[in-house]
Amino acid sequence: MDAQLIRFSKFISLVLRHQPQHYGLTLDAQGWATIDDLLAAANRAGVPLTHALLQQVVAQNDKQRFAISADGRAIRASQGHSIAIDLALTPREPPPLLYHGTASRFVASIRTQGLLRRSRQHVHLSPDITTATKVGLRHGSPVVLTVASGAMHRDGYQFYCSENGVWLIEAVPVAYLAFPKQ
Ligand code: HQG
């Protein structure tokens, strides 16, 4: 994705995941906005987004962050929200192991509290170590924790998988976490 499309992607993430009201946009209960309303909100904020550019942002997005509705008229972020919306995902059986990328400075706290969702609606887990390492790098020196997702599922915890393949869960207790040897 070129630099301009990345800027648009960050703006759309901000609006659809965190601050729709600030930009005068109303999402429905599942997080959808009409594309026309989103473009109007962007233009009011001085962001020169058009239908054609939006289609490029959605199609070329490295993580497929956004989904377009079946009728082509609405858009939502597939995960990552801090505002209360219901993605209406169905619980799914996870693979036996999932991974969480974090930064080394958070590890001591995670050892005592487990993984908490902090400002977001869910804890985000990755299906592979490479992806988790990239997530951790966003925060600093990356550390990848292994989550015993199969055992958690057997113990009754509910897992969801977003449209773009990010595993979501309310929290992960310490008992299900493996930390790399230091
Ligand atoms: C950490 C990106 C201390 C947690 C990614 C993380 C993801 C704790 C940070 C998505 C803790 C929260 C989400 C505890 C958790 N004590 N720190 N008990 N429990 N943490 O950004 O998972 O590019 O809210 O380890 O790919 O980093 O935006 O979550 O480091 O899918 O599409 O608290 O964002 O996607 O940070 O990232 P975040 P995340 P996008």
Side-chain angles (χ1 to χ4, degrees):
M1 233 182 358
D2 74 20
Q4 187 199 32
L5 292 186
I6 290 173
R7 279 199 301 278
F8 287 140
S9 174
K10 290 193 170 172
F11 175 79
I12 299 167
S13 288
L14 174 68
V15 177
L16 293 181
R17 289 173 171 178
H18 307 299
Q19 297 188 354
Q21 281 186 325
H22 178 81
Y23 292 94
L25 191 68
T26 306
L27 308 186
D28 76 6
Q30 282 82 45
W32 296 97
T34 71
I35 290 177
D36 287 344
D37 287 352
L38 174 64
L39 295 179
N43 294 344
R44 278 197 303 275
V47 176
L49 194 57
T50 61
H51 267 281
L53 287 165
L54 181 76
Q55 297 299 338
Q56 283 186 47
V57 173
V58 173
Q60 295 180 27
N61 211 268
D62 56 346
K63 290 191 193 167
Q64 297 296 310
R65 289 179 179 85
F66 311 111
I68 302 279
S69 60
D71 66 6
R73 294 184 55 238
I75 182 169
R76 77 172 178 182
S78 291
Q79 34 72 223
H81 300 81
S82 57
I83 48 170
I85 61 125
D86 175 12
L87 285 171
L89 299 172
T90 327
R92 270 184 50 188
E93 182 176 349
L97 297 178
L98 285 168
Y99 303 92
H100 178 81
T102 189
S104 53
R105 69 181 187 285
F106 296 146
V107 169
S109 163
I110 295 171
R111 276 185 196 278
T112 61
Q113 301 179 321
L115 287 173
L116 305 176
R117 60 194 179 86
R118 313 303 283 291
S119 62
R120 302 200 195 242
Q121 284 209 299
H122 299 96
V123 169
H124 289 216
L125 304 176
S126 307
D128 58 78
I129 293 171
T130 309
T131 308
T133 305
K134 286 186 196 150
V135 175
L137 263 171
R138 290 161 55 251
H139 298 287
S141 169
V143 173
V144 174
L145 312 180
T146 304
V147 177
S149 37
M152 284 185 79
H153 183 255
R154 281 193 296 282
D155 291 346
Y157 290 88
Q158 289 199 330
F159 286 79
Y160 303 90
C161 189
S162 71
E163 219 162 319
N164 60 337
V166 178
W167 285 89
L168 306 170
I169 188 164
E170 193 110 328
V172 181
V174 189
Y176 298 100
L177 287 173
F179 294 81
K181 292 197 183 64
Q182 308 251 316

